[in-house]
């Protein structure tokens, strides 16, 4: 096997700012790399994970103008999901709002078209954005495809699915929910996560976020798990994910697969781990079947996370190839 590609060296942003996008929400945005480079926006996962400095490093900093932003209520954006359960605030955090936010960021930066790069929930939001604004997307790089169809969510959060692979971790995931409600985990968790009492929402947030952190890599990542269950992050991540999931991502059932034809003219790479236990490969196959011109890479020895060695290799190769393409 040829050597696997890894992240580019650490870089600092050359510009960071806060962008008010309406409804009282303010987003943290940062730009790194080459100001004259090919524009790319990194769409983070969860939803609710926020961005991390590592995400700048999947792009050649000499050839890309790299835009990262924290989606509503995540990371350094405010108000933060860990500090409010006000339904009025949550009502203005939907997929439609996030798509519109991306347009505001693009316009603010004076970018005509940009590459859209997203994994997991980031692939979902990237697909929603690209299907709404195809003319603004120069290329798509998608990993761990997730479209929030009911059965995709049931796979990970309802009984009778992933518990067959991880019975021990599943037992920890269901622990905060009373047995009588374990047939409706997402809804039951909603009540716990949005309870104003930290004695209720904190253990629930850690159990929800910890479950995901332990099933996204093939080899356990203790450092990743420790970060995921840190109280503020765990509660924010769990609340945002749960809010989007109980609402089916604010999408029509199957909307993003049915709309795939809208992307036919966008050069697209789809990277999927065969051993992905979070967003199983079927969704990637469903998407790839509707995008015959896309490059579809199934990595045989990788799980879900962006950091899985085979996934990272394929992603860096994809962004390098698009950076070399002057026609886009
Ligand atoms: N969540 C899928 C998702 O977007 C169900 C996701 N999974 N893990 C992540 O994001 C992080 C690695 C960003 C925590």
């Amino acid at each position: 096997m040829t050597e696997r590609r890894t992240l580019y060296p650490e870089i600092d942003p050359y510009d960071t700012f806060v962008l008010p996008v309406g409804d009282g929400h303010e987003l943290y945005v940062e730009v790194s790399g080459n100001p004259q480079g090919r524009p790319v926006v990194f769409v983070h996962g969860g939803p609710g994970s926020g961005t991390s400095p590592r995400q700048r490093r999947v792009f050649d900093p000499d050839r890309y103008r790299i835009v990262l932003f924290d989606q509503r209520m995540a990371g350094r954006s405010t108000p933060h999901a860990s500090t409010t359960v006000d339904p009025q605030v949550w009502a203005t955090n939907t997929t439609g709002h996030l798509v519109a936010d991306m347009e505001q960021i693009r316009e603010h930066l004076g970018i005509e078209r940009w590459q859209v790069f997203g994994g997991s929930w980031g692939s979902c939001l990237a697909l929603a954005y690209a299907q709404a604004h195809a003319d603004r997307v120069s290329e798509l790089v998608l990993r761990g495809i997730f479209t929030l169809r009911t059965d995709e969510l049931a796979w990970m959060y309802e009984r009778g699915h992933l518990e067959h692979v991880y019975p021990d971790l599943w037992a920890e995931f269901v622990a905060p929910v009373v047995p009588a409600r374990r047939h409706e985990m997402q809804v039951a968790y909603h009540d716990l996560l949005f309870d104003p009492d930290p004695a209720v929402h904190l253990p629930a947030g850690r159990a929800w976020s910890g479950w995901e952190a332990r099933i996204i890599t093939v080899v356990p990542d203790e450092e990743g798990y420790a970060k995921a269950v840190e109280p503020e992050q765990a509660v924010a991540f769990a609340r945002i994910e749960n809010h989007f999931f109980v609402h089916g991502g604010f999408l029509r059932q199957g909307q993003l697969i049915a709309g795939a034809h809208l992307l036919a003219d966008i050069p697209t790479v789809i990277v999927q781990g065969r051993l992905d236990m979070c967003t199983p490969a079927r969704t990637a196959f469903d998407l790839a079947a509707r995008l015959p011109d896309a490059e579809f890479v199934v990595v045989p020895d990788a799980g879900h996370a962006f950091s899985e060695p085979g996934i990272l290799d394929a992603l860096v190769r994809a962004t390098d190839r698009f950076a070399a393409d002057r026609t886009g």
Side-chain angles (χ1 to χ4, degrees):
M1 185 161 52
T2 55
E3 202 167 320
R4 279 178 158 165
R5 299 289 306 279
T6 60
L7 294 173
Y8 280 97
E10 286 181 27
I11 43 166
D12 290 322
Y14 64 80
D15 186 21
T16 67
F17 58 96
V18 168
L19 186 69
V21 287
D23 315 307
H25 291 279
E26 301 198 337
L27 305 190
Y28 168 79
V29 186
E30 57 165 60
V31 193
S32 313
N34 179 349
Q36 263 71 56
R38 192 179 195 89
V40 61
V41 60
F42 186 104
V43 186
H44 72 64
S49 79
T51 55
S52 80
R54 236 177 24 161
Q55 295 163 350
R56 301 168 195 148
R57 299 168 53 197
V58 72
F59 311 99
D60 180 346
D62 292 331
R63 295 189 289 176
Y64 275 103
R65 178 182 179 191
I66 307 155
V67 181
L68 269 59
F69 72 103
D70 287 336
Q71 295 161 26
R72 290 191 183 202
M73 306 186 81
R76 279 172 272 188
S77 292
T78 59
H80 194 252
S82 65
T83 59
T84 180
V85 293
D86 181 351
Q88 305 279 36
V89 176
W90 285 92
T92 55
N93 189 5
T94 71
T95 305
H97 289 97
L98 301 183
V99 167
D101 292 349
M102 289 175 66
E103 277 298 90
Q104 280 203 51
I105 293 168
R106 185 187 60 73
E107 279 168 18
H108 179 88
L109 292 171
I111 292 169
E112 195 116 339
R113 297 168 83 219
W114 51 4
Q115 181 179 125
V116 179
F117 181 111
S120 195
W121 160 255
S123 74
C124 183
L125 182 52
L127 286 167
Y129 174 80
Q131 290 179 16
H133 302 284
D135 55 330
R136 297 301 182 182
V137 181
S138 54
E139 304 92 23
L140 272 172
V141 180
L142 306 170
R143 166 217 119 227
I145 309 307
F146 184 35
T147 66
L148 278 74
R149 291 175 293 185
T150 302
D151 53 356
E152 295 174 52
L153 294 167
W155 164 261
M156 189 162 156
Y157 300 102
E158 301 299 346
R159 66 186 180 195
H161 305 277
L162 193 49
E163 68 170 300
H164 291 282
V165 184
Y166 295 109
D168 48 345
L169 305 180
W170 177 260
E172 291 184 40
F173 175 61
V174 302
V177 174
V178 294
R181 296 200 68 189
R182 289 183 187 167
H183 63 285
E184 49 169 2
M185 290 293 291
Q186 294 168 84
V187 181
Y189 253 104
H190 192 272
D191 291 346
L192 299 174
L193 292 168
F194 288 86
D195 191 301
D197 182 357
V200 177
H201 68 238
L202 185 53
R206 298 183 81 210
W208 176 287
S209 299
W211 162 241
E212 178 159 332
R214 286 159 121 190
I215 61 98
I216 60 172
T217 55
V218 172
V219 178
D221 171 8
E222 285 310 321
E223 199 184 319
Y225 174 75
K227 275 192 202 155
V229 297
E230 180 273 312
E232 215 171 278
Q233 172 66 13
V235 170
F237 183 72
R239 280 183 180 162
I240 297 172
E241 281 200 338
N242 184 271
H243 166 74
F244 275 78
F245 298 168
V246 298
H247 291 100
F250 306 93
L251 298 162
R252 292 185 305 282
Q253 192 62 224
Q255 176 183 332
L256 297 177
I257 299 295
H261 62 93
L262 299 167
L263 312 173
D265 294 335
I266 303 174
T268 298
V269 176
I270 300 167
V271 179
Q272 175 68 41
R274 175 69 78 173
L275 305 179
D276 188 330
M277 290 296 141
C278 180
T279 57
R282 199 196 57 187
T283 305
F285 277 83
D286 288 346
L287 180 65
R290 286 166 177 77
L291 290 175
D293 293 338
E295 183 183 341
F296 183 30
V297 183
V298 179
V299 184
D301 61 346
H304 178 69
F306 153 93
S307 56
E308 295 283 271
I311 298 279
L312 201 47
D313 173 74
L315 294 174
V316 173
R317 287 179 195 278
T319 63
D320 268 14
R321 199 152 37 74
F322 283 142
D325 169 16
R326 307 306 325 168
T327 61

